[in-house]
Amino acid sequence: MNIVVTSAVIAAIGIAAAQAAQADELWRETGLEQPESALFDAANGRIIVSNIVGNPGDADGNGYLSLLSTDGKMVSQHWTDGMDAPKGMAISGGKLYVADITKIRVVDLASGKLIASIVVPNAVFLNDMTADASGKVYVTDMLADAIYRIDGDRPELFVKDPLLASPNGVFADGDRLIVASWGKGIKADFSTAEPGGLLAVDIASKAVTPLAGAQNFADLDGVVAIGGTIYATAYMTGTLYRYRTGGGPEAVAHFKPGSADIGTDGKSILYVPLMNEGEVAALKIE
C-alpha cells in the first residue's frame, strides 16, 4: 500500500536483537510501478510481479503483471494488463489467481491471458493469496478480518475472526495457513492502535492461534515459510523479520518503507517487492 509513515509506527516494539541474522542481497530490478507481490513460478522458472499503479483501492484499470527472470532481468513489463490494483497471487491447476480489490483475476499461466474474474461477495479489500497442497486457493480480506477460500471458481468465506487483526500476508504451510497480521485499529494513514503479529489457522478446524513470541511487534505485510522458519515483512518500516518457534522476531534485512508481499523459491531465496521504490529485491537467506 502506498501510505504515509508516521514516527509512531517506526518505533521498534519488543523485537529481539539479531545482529548475527542477515540476508544478502543478490540483485534488484527497477522500473516497476508499485510492485505489491512477487511470486516464484517454479514450473516456468520465473518471477511474476503485480503492479498496482495508483491507489490500492481504486478500480482504475491501471494494474498489470510483469515477468522477471530469476537473475533479475525484465522479461515482460506488461505480461498481463486489464487489472485494477493487483496484489497477492497464487498458482493452482495451471492458472494464476490474483487478488484485485473485491475480485479474483484468473490468468492462464502459459499465455498470460486474463481468462476470468471471480467476484467475491462481501469482500472489502482482498490482499494476499496462497494455494494449499490440494489446490485450494486462499485470499485475505485485510479490512474485514476474513479469509476466503476459492475452489475452482467458487469463492466461500473460510474464516472470519477478530483474532486475525487485519490479515494481510498468508502462506499455506502443510495443514495450516500462516497469517501476517497488520494490526488492530487501523488509522487513516494505515498506522495502527495495536501492531500485528504472526498467526496460524488450522485448515481442518479453522482455529486461529497466535504464534508464541510473535505478537504485537509490527504492521506486517507479506509472509512465507521455508522449513521451520517464517519470514515476514513490515511495510511501514521496511523491515524483513525471521521467526522460529521458541524465539522471537529477528530483523534480517532493512529497506525503505514499502516492503510488501514476499515470494520464495522454497529453498534459500526471497523476492521482496519494494512498492515505494518501484523495485524487487532478491535476497539469499541463511
Side-chain angles (χ1 to χ4, degrees):
M1 277 157 287
N2 192 13
I3 49 186
V4 177
V5 179
T6 65
S7 59
V9 299
I10 299 298
I13 303 175
I15 302 304
Q19 296 300 320
Q22 296 294 328
D24 296 323
E25 187 167 320
L26 300 177
W27 52 257
R28 190 179 293 207
E29 174 63 348
T30 62
L32 296 154
E33 298 182 273
Q34 289 173 268
E36 204 280 340
S37 183
L39 179 69
F40 180 62
D41 177 7
N44 295 290
R46 60 192 181 182
I47 304 152
I48 307 171
V49 180
S50 60
N51 296 264
I52 290 177
V53 200
N55 189 305
D58 285 355
D60 53 18
N62 292 334
Y64 64 91
L65 307 180
S66 300
L67 292 182
L68 302 181
S69 65
T70 55
D71 59 355
K73 303 297 190 298
M74 183 67 72
V75 175
S76 176
Q77 179 91 37
H78 286 264
W79 182 56
T80 305
D81 288 307
M83 299 185 183
D84 293 316
K87 301 177 183 69
M89 300 173 285
I91 293 171
S92 177
K95 299 175 182 177
L96 175 70
Y97 293 79
V98 187
D100 196 359
I101 311 179
T102 59
K103 300 180 180 71
I104 303 297
R105 307 291 191 178
V106 185
V107 177
D108 178 68
L109 264 183
S111 66
K113 181 181 179 180
L114 181 61
I115 56 177
S117 292
I118 302 170
V119 176
V120 180
N122 304 313
V124 180
F125 192 81
L126 301 178
N127 205 309
D128 197 18
M129 302 193 74
T130 191
D132 67 15
S134 71
K136 293 182 176 63
V137 174
Y138 302 81
V139 58
T140 57
D141 192 339
M142 180 180 172
L143 300 184
D145 289 342
I147 299 173
Y148 290 89
R149 180 164 59 190
I150 314 296
D151 187 357
D153 60 356
R154 300 183 303 277
E156 63 177 358
L157 180 64
F158 176 68
V159 61
K160 184 177 177 66
D161 193 317
L163 283 176
L164 291 172
S166 308
N168 193 320
V170 63
F171 188 84
D173 181 40
D175 59 1
R176 65 179 184 171
L177 303 178
I178 302 298
V179 177
S181 161
W182 190 276
K184 296 180 180 180
I186 295 179
K187 303 174 185 178
D189 64 356
F190 270 81
S191 63
T192 55
E194 181 180 301
L198 295 171
L199 311 160
V201 180
D202 183 84
I203 291 176
S205 70
K206 303 182 183 180
V208 180
T209 305
L211 297 186
Q215 294 306 297
N216 309 126
F217 70 93
D219 300 318
L220 296 179
D221 199 305
V223 66
V224 297
I226 302 176
T229 303
I230 296 171
Y231 294 89
T233 52
Y235 182 99
M236 304 294 271
T237 62
T239 308
L240 173 68
Y241 291 103
R242 180 181 71 184
Y243 169 80
R244 292 169 176 161
T245 301
E250 302 174 312
V252 296
H254 299 275
F255 302 96
K256 293 179 180 179
S259 54
D261 290 335
I262 53 178
T264 180
D265 67 351
K267 299 174 182 178
S268 61
I269 307 295
L270 298 179
Y271 304 105
V272 184
L274 306 173
M275 273 187 61
N276 297 336
E277 306 303 305
E279 301 174 344
V280 170
L283 303 182
K284 174 77 172 181
I285 55 177
E286 298 177 352

